[in-house]
Amino acid sequence: MMTTQTIRELREALRPARRAGQSIGFVPTMGALHDGHWSLIERARADCDTVVVSIFVNPLQFGAGEDLDRYPNTLEADHSGCRQRGVDVVFDPDVGEMYGAYPLTRVHVAKLGDGLCGTTRGGHFDGVCTVVAKLFNIVQPDRAFFGEKDYQQLVIVRKMAADLSMGVEVVACPTRREADGSAMSSRNQYLSERQRKAAACIYASLQMAAESVASGELESKNLIRAIHTHVTSHGADRIDYVEIVDTESLESVSRIEKSARICIAAYFGDTRLIDNVAVDAPLAPR
Ligand code: AMP
């Protein structure tokens, strides 16, 4: 496995694979890799000839007062996990290498980033799109693997890649969960033991709502109310949002009539956790 911090070396390393017509799979990450990330990397390994993983904590996607300064760093373990899983190249540049001294360009996808996490994290998705666009330009992958855990990000990146004809297939990978159902996240490390246990209520509330949908409750406001009640009575300190949105447009739906996503962001202490599940209106009986 090769590791490099420079764009030039990475491009050079990928040239022979590209020339030989090999498929290139790419998994962008911010490091502190866990089983959620590994599932993306293993999927890329199974699907593609050459696998590139980037590890870069992107300052552009953090707002003032967010956790940029304390974001976990486990670079050595990340490298050895990548090596064990047959990754070909790890790209872990520093901020100067990625952005130079005076970056002025931002990539903005209209509308899709306005709601959900975009409401409270202004500029977050422009930061995500800018770094992902740069990484796609640098790596020029055939396929890039993203987790459904960050559902809004997945939809936005897919739209960006299509709108800008980037020639990258954005592959959605299912959310990996802890035994108690909590979505795996680098940010789970910030939680105390008590908060970690309590945080399982997020997924429990989503599952409860999905079961209600399956048994015929299709009104968003009733489902959302039940999630609020469950999560606040099981230890969440604050709810940022609970919303039910159209799978593609991410617009809120008042009633579940086709595929939708129930999305939530909630705080446990200072730690903000997100999760989501897919729901579908039950088929009408024939
Ligand atoms: P991050 O390092 O948090 O930027 O995440 C890098 C990629 O891993 C993104 O595509 C995430 O959606 C994905 N990811 C993070 N956590 C999980 C998880 N629990 N299951 C599946 N994918 C995940």
Side-chain angles (χ1 to χ4, degrees):
M1 185 182 84
M2 172 188 176
T3 64
T4 179
Q5 288 72 48
T6 72
I7 295 169
R8 189 181 54 77
E9 260 183 17
L10 178 66
R11 284 198 167 125
E12 260 166 36
L14 293 175
R15 206 165 286 138
R18 211 181 310 282
R19 228 182 260 137
Q22 291 189 1
S23 59
I24 297 177
F26 178 44
V27 184
T29 80
M30 297 204 297
L33 302 182
H34 51 65
D35 280 351
H37 298 111
W38 298 132
S39 69
L40 270 51
I41 290 167
E42 283 159 10
R43 174 80 189 275
R45 181 65 287 165
D47 285 5
C48 303
D49 298 317
T50 297
V51 175
V52 181
V53 172
S54 66
I55 298 174
F56 178 63
V57 181
N58 173 34
L60 286 192
Q61 70 188 70
F62 288 78
E66 291 188 355
D67 56 342
L68 175 62
D69 297 336
R70 62 169 182 150
Y71 200 81
N73 175 328
T74 57
L75 195 56
E76 260 180 51
D78 295 351
H79 280 177
S80 86
C82 285
R83 194 171 293 113
Q84 276 169 29
R85 287 167 181 85
V87 170
D88 297 288
V89 187
V90 170
F91 177 52
D92 53 356
D94 63 19
V95 174
E97 177 70 10
M98 278 301 277
Y99 291 120
Y102 189 44
L104 290 175
T105 304
R106 290 288 186 280
V107 179
H108 175 72
V109 174
K111 288 191 177 166
L112 297 177
D114 292 348
L116 301 173
C117 291
T119 311
T120 48
R121 302 191 72 190
H124 169 69
F125 289 111
D126 290 358
V128 169
C129 287
T130 303
V131 80
V132 173
K134 276 182 74 84
L135 290 166
F136 281 4
N137 284 334
I138 294 165
V139 177
Q140 295 180 30
D142 298 283
R143 258 165 265 155
F145 299 82
F146 285 79
E148 289 186 344
K149 145 107 179 5
D150 301 283
Y151 187 74
Q152 187 176 18
Q153 168 175 284
L154 165 71
V155 172
I156 291 174
V157 166
R158 184 176 272 157
K159 185 70 176 138
M160 172 191 76
D163 283 356
L164 298 181
S165 307
M166 288 174 157
V168 182
E169 182 195 347
V170 173
V171 180
C173 302
T175 303
R176 272 288 184 97
R177 300 185 176 280
E178 306 284 355
D180 66 5
S182 297
M184 290 180 175
S185 165
S186 309
R187 293 190 165 101
N188 289 348
Q189 297 183 29
Y190 302 149
L191 300 172
S192 68
E193 201 50 44
R194 187 188 59 76
Q195 289 169 331
R196 197 179 267 252
K197 284 205 179 107
C201 73
I202 292 184
Y203 185 56
S205 75
L206 294 177
Q207 267 189 316
M208 215 178 58
E211 280 162 22
S212 301
V213 173
S215 51
E217 174 58 88
L218 304 180
E219 291 299 321
S220 295
K221 68 175 181 332
N222 297 340
L223 295 160
I224 290 170
R225 193 183 313 119
I227 294 172
H228 264 266
T229 306
H230 185 89
V231 168
T232 43
S233 64
H234 284 78
D237 293 300
R238 186 156 66 84
I239 293 178
D240 186 356
Y241 63 77
V242 179
E243 277 195 58
I244 304 181
V245 298
D246 178 84
T247 320
E248 280 164 35
S249 72
L250 301 181
E251 279 170 18
S252 278
V253 296
S254 57
R255 191 177 158 80
I256 298 176
E257 281 163 349
K258 54 187 179 94
S259 309
R261 283 265 160 182
I262 310 181
C263 302
I264 180 169
Y267 282 88
F268 292 77
D270 295 336
T271 305
R272 184 175 176 282
L273 301 177
I274 60 172
D275 203 347
N276 67 86
V277 290
V279 285
D280 245 311
L283 289 174
R286 287 190 218 190

